[in-house]
Amino acid sequence: MMLLTSGTRGDVEPFAALARYAAARGHEVRLGVPDRSGADLSGLDTVRLGVDFHRLLRTDGLSPRAALRHYRTEVRPGMRRMLSAAVRETLAFGPDLVVHHPLILTAPAVADALGVPRVLTEFVPVATPTREFSAPGGPTVSADLGRFNRATYAVPRGAARLFRADVEGACAALPGGRAPSPRSPSRATLIGASPHLLPRPADWSAAIHLTGAWHDEALEPATEPVVDRFVRGGPYLVATFGSMRAGDAQARARAVVAGARAHGLRTLLLSGWGGLVLPEDHPGEDVLVVPSAPLGPVLRGAAAAVHHGGAGTVHTVAREGVPSVVVPFLADQPFWAGQLHRLGIASAPVPRRRLTAETLVPALGEALARGERAARLGHAMRQERGLRTALDVLTGL
């Protein structure tokens, strides 16, 4: 089978987990991935798709003219390379099944050209409409429009039309020089999310499978000695903003450290791609800054987490039974922030531009009060077997 994903680390790691799980059970698997995702791809048969999503996402603070220039010089060429590479690499591999991320817009055409089924995969249901909530990642992500919720999914579908010419250009490499028409529907849809965090909408068809998160427990790496010593040193919180770097990273770090100290907690800052930068006036034995660390192990002893609300981070934090303060930046993050709050395992979301010590201290207090509920939900999530469920669906097609 050919697995094709796009996006940042949170999109790549679940696909890598599925690739390992399937390969360990005798399936021949190739994985197409973006460049520089930061995910551990060791031991996997991988091909690169020629796009760096960290470059594509650098849009915060740009003027309209600069944003248009960024689209023309970075986004459009990056997507064009990815779409063409997905066609080229899938044809070269000749799979009997194509499993793809929604942004791999050429996957339907290449699967049809090969005469094999395809399966759409999402970690937040942007391309899978429901009447129960607005499209995650759309302009109405935080609004419940009732019977109009389903109509909001036209917005993310419409965004794909921006790359129609690039899809057609990539499909010139297919036999016959163009995409087969009409396009065959996806044989199934896999939603790699926990039903404990995303209860299954009643209007989803039987072809949509809410599998649980795709988490590879066997691959969990060890933490560095300096991190081990820190997490054993007393109560602490973990702060990470993943690949989000918009705004003032020093002000964010200053607010997190002050909020933690107000509650008698030490702070483990995972600086990531620059989302958190500790100011020089904030050193102390109660703060440790590292670029990254295995999130599951460092969360296991944490009192709370402050994070951006990406789907992968949300599932890891919730699975470890840790209450959250979510500071959403973009896309589906406000959706997950609202979900965690409604489930009683996170404070009310704190808007990124309003993150200060004054807003974080009460939010952390609210989160810490929800620790018992978070622990119970985490226990339930750890019983899920998302990879096994997903592979069962794929092998049953």
Side-chain angles (χ1 to χ4, degrees):
M1 68 180 73
M2 186 78 184
L3 307 184
L4 295 164
T5 188
S6 69
T8 55
R9 184 171 184 168
D11 298 282
V12 176
E13 284 184 334
F15 268 88
L18 179 61
R20 277 197 185 86
Y21 187 83
R25 283 148 186 82
H27 297 276
E28 187 178 359
V29 183
R30 182 165 293 173
L31 174 62
V33 296
D35 302 344
R36 292 200 323 133
S37 70
D40 182 359
L41 304 174
S42 58
L44 295 174
D45 178 2
T46 61
V47 290
R48 303 288 176 171
L49 299 182
V51 59
D52 179 354
F53 272 84
H54 297 287
R55 292 178 64 91
L56 267 60
L57 292 173
R58 293 176 185 172
T59 59
D60 186 74
L62 296 181
S63 67
R65 179 176 294 182
L68 180 59
R69 184 169 59 249
H70 179 75
Y71 170 77
R72 289 173 174 170
T73 62
E74 293 287 351
V75 177
R76 188 79 181 269
M79 287 291 291
R80 186 180 301 126
R81 291 192 303 272
M82 181 184 75
L83 297 173
S84 295
V87 170
R88 181 178 63 251
E89 297 295 348
T90 305
L91 289 174
F93 187 51
D96 56 8
L97 175 66
V98 175
V99 183
H100 68 100
H101 187 285
L103 282 181
I104 308 293
L105 301 172
T106 47
V110 71
D112 281 351
L114 291 171
V116 301
R118 68 178 178 93
V119 172
L120 174 68
T121 290
E122 300 191 86
F123 304 114
V124 60
V126 174
T128 306
T130 177
R131 289 185 295 274
E132 296 190 13
F133 47 78
S134 292
T140 58
V141 60
S142 299
D144 183 356
L145 303 182
R147 62 193 180 94
F148 297 108
N149 280 336
R150 196 175 183 91
T152 65
Y153 290 79
V155 176
R157 284 198 304 270
R161 297 191 187 100
L162 294 172
F163 305 102
R164 180 178 294 170
D166 304 299
V167 171
E168 292 174 354
C171 288
L174 294 174
R178 59 185 300 175
S181 182
R183 188 178 77 175
S184 300
S186 176
R187 188 70 61 87
T189 296
L190 301 180
I191 308 291
S194 170
H196 290 96
L197 298 185
L198 180 70
R200 180 186 176 88
D203 58 349
W204 278 357
S205 75
I208 301 169
H209 302 268
L210 186 60
T211 65
W214 299 359
H215 172 62
D216 191 349
E217 296 177 356
L219 194 68
E220 198 167 79
T223 54
E224 296 181 6
V226 64
V227 175
D228 279 337
R229 289 193 295 272
F230 185 83
V231 301
R232 291 196 301 264
Y236 65 97
L237 68 76
V238 176
T240 175
F241 289 102
S243 56
M244 302 296 104
R245 53 187 295 172
D248 190 337
Q250 288 198 18
R252 280 198 293 273
R254 187 180 290 112
V256 169
V257 171
R261 285 172 173 166
H263 288 279
L265 299 173
R266 298 172 308 126
T267 306
L268 175 60
L269 284 179
L270 308 183
S271 58
W273 290 80
L276 290 164
V277 177
L278 188 70
E280 292 183 1
D281 61 350
H282 268 61
E285 294 183 358
D286 64 338
V287 182
L288 176 65
V289 184
V290 293
S292 65
L295 199 52
V298 299
L299 283 166
R300 235 150 261 163
V306 179
H307 59 91
H308 58 300
T313 301
V314 160
H315 277 78
T316 303
V317 172
R319 186 172 52 248
E320 297 302 335
V322 178
S324 296
V325 176
V326 184
V327 184
F329 284 61
L330 48 77
D332 59 317
Q333 295 164 12
F335 172 80
W336 290 116
Q339 283 291 98
L340 298 195
H341 181 55
R342 283 188 289 273
L343 290 167
I345 61 172
S347 70
V350 177
R352 172 175 65 86
R353 298 181 191 279
R354 293 182 54 205
L355 178 61
T356 63
E358 288 72 24
T359 58
L360 187 57
V361 169
L364 269 174
E366 183 183 352
L368 291 167
R370 298 177 175 217
E372 186 176 338
R373 185 174 180 85
R376 289 198 304 270
L377 190 142
H379 175 76
M381 286 181 64
R382 291 193 294 274
Q383 313 312 307
E384 297 174 2
R385 295 294 177 265
L387 290 172
R388 182 174 66 189
T389 302
L391 188 61
D392 285 348
V393 173
L394 297 176
T395 55
L397 294 175

